């Protein structure tokens, strides 16, 4: 019996050393302590021992059983610890590695230009207004002194939905809405940035583009007010040395009408590729609101006068950022959009 106990002790120590997982540990437990295990067999043999040997081997067997149970428990605890540290090792992250670069967007050049214009005019007491892009012939043309069949309609061909509904060709269409909606027929100071549409498509003309309209109606509004306002507007957008040149032109809704050129901000008026060596860049249409337009939209032209102007925002953005093809503004090419400063997002 003594020999057997010794042998089991050395066996168990040896076997527990090579245990790698819970299942093999359970196998060892069954091998020694299970129903037919080696220690259980010894306990059976114990019954047949002579009486005088029983106390000695009873104690030894009990000790053996406790020793095996403790060793298995100890091994189990170690296994668990090993498992945890293995898992931690696998999940280890190197916090010193550089992080993934977050790609931030940048504001579209048109958005920049629109926001810049809005901030300026709001600071001068103007409202920022909008109107429908799907417009009626009445508001886009008729109420702007362009009756059906008027030859000036040819300058602005558009997309007709029906004979009455069309995609507006100019933000001037909102002029009539504002005058009609103003029930008190009081003063108006508004700018209208928005999308406009024409049947055109090339490097400087797009079928969809953006304009900003300006309208002021009040008593005693004169050409001087228009000139001063446009000077502030253009100097703010293109630099303090910008000069303006008013050329007589024709728009049915203003009289007199002007096309307004700005001195080339790239060459300062000396002549360069941008201004086609003329020193001037054509940027705005403007004029004194035609009495017919005031009258048709509920204002008495003997009491009120006004000025209006309109400019293409795409063209303004193209000049400001030296963009050569208008289609780049609408092609959503990230390489193009990325070039604009991100500081002020
Ligand atoms: C007008 O649209 C007038 N409503 C402007 C106006 C307002 C005059 C108030 C008087 C009083 P015009 O057709 O010239 O005018 O267009 C104004 C600007 O829109 C042009 O100078 C140009 O910058 C821009 N524009 C016109 N067509 C296109 C197009 N297809 N693509 C891009 N920009 C365009």
């Amino acid at each position: 019996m003594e020999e057997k106990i010794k042998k089991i002790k050395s066996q168990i120590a040896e076997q527990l050393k090579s245990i790698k997982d819970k299942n093999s540990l359970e196998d060892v437990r069954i091998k020694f302590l299970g129903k037919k295990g080696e220690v259980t067999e010894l306990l059976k043999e114990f019954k047949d021992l002579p009486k005088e040997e029983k106390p000695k081997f009873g104690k030894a067997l009990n000790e053996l059983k406790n020793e095996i149970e403790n060793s298995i428990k100890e091994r189990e605890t170690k296994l668990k610890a090993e498992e945890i540290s293995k898992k931690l090792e696998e999940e280890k992250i190197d916090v010193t590695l550089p992080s993934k670069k977050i790609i931030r967007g940048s504001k579209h050049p048109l958005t920049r230009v629109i926001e810049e214009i809005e901030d300026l005019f709001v600071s001068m007491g103007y409202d920022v207004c909008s109107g429908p892009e799907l417009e009626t012939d009445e508001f886009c043309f008729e109420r702007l002194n362009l009756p059906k069949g008027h030859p000036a309609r040819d300058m602005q061909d558009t997309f007709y939905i029906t004979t009455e509904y069309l995609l507006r060709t100019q933000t001037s269409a909102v002029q009539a809405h504002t005058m009609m909606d103003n029930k008190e027929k009081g003063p108006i100071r508004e700018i209208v940035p928005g999308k406009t549409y024409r049947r055109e498509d090339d490097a400087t003309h797009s079928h969809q583009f953006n304009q900003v309209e300006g309208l002021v109606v009040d008593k005693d509004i004169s050409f001087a007010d228009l000139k001063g306002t446009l000077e502030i507007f253009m100097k703010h957008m293109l630099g303090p040395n910008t000069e303006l040149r008013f050329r007589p032109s024709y728009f049915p809704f203003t009289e007199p009408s002007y096309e307004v050129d700005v001195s080339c901000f790239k060459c300062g008026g000396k002549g360069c590729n941008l201004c086609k060596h003329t020193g001037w860049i054509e940027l705005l249409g403007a004029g004194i609101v035609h009495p017919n337009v005031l009258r048709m939209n509920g204002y008495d032209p003997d009491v009120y006068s006004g000025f209006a102007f309109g400019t293409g925002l795409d063209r303004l953005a193209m000049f400001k950022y030296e963009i050569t093809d208008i289609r780049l503004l609408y092609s959503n090419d990230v390489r193009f959009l990325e070039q604009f400063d991100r500081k002020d997002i």
Side-chain angles (χ1 to χ4, degrees), residues 142-154:
E142 284 173 50
R143 287 188 172 277
L144 292 176
N145 207 24
L146 268 145
K148 285 197 168 75
H150 193 291
R153 283 193 178 208
D154 284 356

Side-chain angles (χ1 to χ4, degrees), residues 12-113:
I12 189 107
E14 199 55 40
Q15 292 192 14
L16 283 179
K17 256 194 234 161
S18 57
I19 290 296
K20 289 269 179 301
D21 55 54
K22 267 190 201 164
N23 289 346
S24 20
L25 187 65
E26 181 59 10
D27 289 345
V28 170
R29 197 190 63 77
I30 292 168
K31 184 174 176 209
F32 292 99
L33 301 177
K35 267 187 194 167
K36 288 179 187 166
E38 295 189 25
V39 177
T40 321
E41 288 304 317
L42 277 189
L43 285 169
K44 281 180 200 161
E45 283 175 31
F46 170 78
K47 276 187 219 153
D48 307 327
L49 283 178
K51 216 174 171 189
E52 59 280 10
E53 286 188 18
K54 276 193 173 167
K56 180 182 165 197
F57 286 109
K59 195 175 168 233
L61 280 174
N62 255 345
E63 276 173 8
L64 175 68
K65 201 173 159 225
N66 287 342
E67 216 178 296
I68 294 174
E69 277 172 356
N70 287 341
S71 309
I72 289 177
K73 234 181 227 158
E74 213 173 275
R75 189 72 194 106
E76 198 176 7
T77 316
K78 268 194 189 160
L79 270 181
K80 260 186 200 153
E82 279 165 22
E83 218 171 87
I84 290 171
S85 65
K86 194 177 158 209
K87 209 167 166 214
L88 285 177
E89 188 61 33
E90 279 168 9
E91 290 173 4
K92 200 164 104 180
I93 50 164
D94 184 352
V95 291
T96 63
L97 281 175
S99 60
K100 269 191 195 160
K101 213 171 157 193
I102 297 169
I103 300 169
R104 292 184 64 193
S106 56
K107 269 189 192 167
H108 193 283
L110 276 174
T111 309
R112 282 162 193 276
V113 166

Side-chain angles (χ1 to χ4, degrees), residues 285-331:
I288 299 299
V289 180
H290 197 294
N292 285 354
V293 174
L294 289 171
R295 200 176 295 114
M296 256 189 283
N297 297 297
Y299 277 78
D300 181 352
D302 292 329
V303 180
Y304 281 98
S305 54
F307 69 75
F309 60 86
T311 184
L313 291 174
D314 311 70
R315 193 155 299 173
L316 200 53
M318 284 166 79
F319 283 126
K320 200 170 157 67
Y321 297 113
E322 296 189 31
I323 299 163
T324 47
D325 191 327
I326 194 169
R327 289 166 287 206
L328 284 168
L329 292 172
Y330 297 105
S331 57

